Amino acid sequence: MAVEGGMKCVKFLLYVLLLAFCAFAVGLIAVGIGAQLVLNQTITPGTTPGSLLPVVIIAVGAFLFLVAFVGCCGACKENYCLMITFAIFLSLIMLVEVAAAIAGYVFRDKVISEFNKDFRQQMQNYPQNNHTASILDSMQEDFKCCGAANYTDWEKILMVAKRVPDSCCVNVTQGCGINFNVKDIHTEGCVEKIGGWLRDRLLVVAAVALGIAFVEVLGIVFACCLVKSIRSGYEVM
């Protein structure tokens, strides 16, 4: 039996929310992939809270897309079982997103400590590993920084006084890091600058996750209303 009256409006709003969920899902997957690519270039891969968060975001995005599809089928066919499944799974996704948002906030400062450790480790490999050198050079050029805490960190690595990588220079040219003038290089360390950037992005992701969770609450409410209407229709029949 087709829903009638106010339930038609609820069903329409649920369709709108389902489209929004699909868009959110694609957005979460894109954000998760982007965050993973950034972390792969800045933090050594491992099972740390900071490195696991992008994986969680991608998984939640993919699952949300699947759940939205189930909800769309359930609403279209007005199927009681599909709508119950949709409401339960959407509730689980909402709980995971809230937990991920809380974790992102709690571990926001740990991102800098992890980045500090990994950045210094990569600095040690700079003279011997061309791939590592290329990554660090790109980071220093893009964020206009030099060394971990400041430019003097490179003296311990390169074992030469008045020598930093050319990527530390304000105007990068070959050999510009040899016998440099301080005014010609970036003196601020990369740990605070890049780590702060990562921490701020983590907080943005956490805030977005909470926003999506709020919209999902509306989806759960509308789904429950539709389920009640469908069940009432079955009882009448």
Side-chain angles (χ1 to χ4, degrees), residues 6 20 61 72 121 123 127 143 154 167 172 196 210 213 229:
C72 187
Q121 182 179 348
M123 283 181 66
F143 287 91
W154 284 112
S167 56
V172 179
L210 286 177
S229 177

Side-chain angles (χ1 to χ4, degrees), residues 58-216:
I58 294 172
V60 169
F63 191 52
L64 178 59
F65 190 88
L66 178 61
V67 170
F69 178 76
V70 171
C72 187
C73 292
C76 181
K77 296 180 178 294
E78 295 180 10
N79 185 284
Y80 179 82
C81 291
L82 285 178
M83 291 308 302
I84 285 290
T85 302
F86 168 74
I88 292 174
F89 282 156
L90 191 60
S91 299
L92 292 176
I93 291 175
M94 183 194 68
L95 292 176
V96 171
E97 287 176 347
V98 171
I102 294 173
Y105 180 79
V106 170
F107 293 110
R108 67 191 186 284
D109 292 326
K110 191 172 179 61
V111 170
I112 292 183
S113 63
E114 285 184 21
F115 178 68
N116 179 47
K117 178 183 68 176
D118 292 317
F119 190 89
R120 291 182 182 278
Q121 182 179 348
Q122 291 183 28
M123 283 181 66
Q124 296 292 333
N125 299 328
Y126 185 92
Q128 297 85 22
N129 190 313
N130 290 334
H131 178 66
T132 298
S134 176
I135 292 175
L136 291 183
D137 283 338
S138 296
M139 290 167 60
Q140 291 190 144
E141 284 189 49
D142 292 341
F143 287 91
K144 303 185 186 308
C145 57
C146 186
N150 55 57
Y151 71 97
T152 59
D153 292 331
W154 284 112
E155 292 183 4
K156 305 170 187 176
I157 304 300
L158 302 178
M159 304 299 290
V160 179
K162 299 285 288 183
R163 173 71 189 274
V164 295
D166 293 341
S167 56
C168 288
C169 298
V170 174
N171 297 310
V172 179
T173 57
Q174 186 173 1
C176 65
I178 302 174
N179 294 322
F180 60 87
N181 290 319
V182 175
K183 63 182 179 63
D184 294 328
I185 65 170
H186 300 294
T187 57
E188 185 178 356
C190 292
V191 168
E192 186 62 32
K193 203 163 189 178
I194 302 178
W197 181 85
L198 289 173
R199 180 182 59 192
D200 292 343
R201 295 304 179 277
L202 191 60
L203 290 176
V204 170
V205 170
V208 170
L210 286 177
I212 294 175
F214 174 76
V215 177
E216 287 168 350

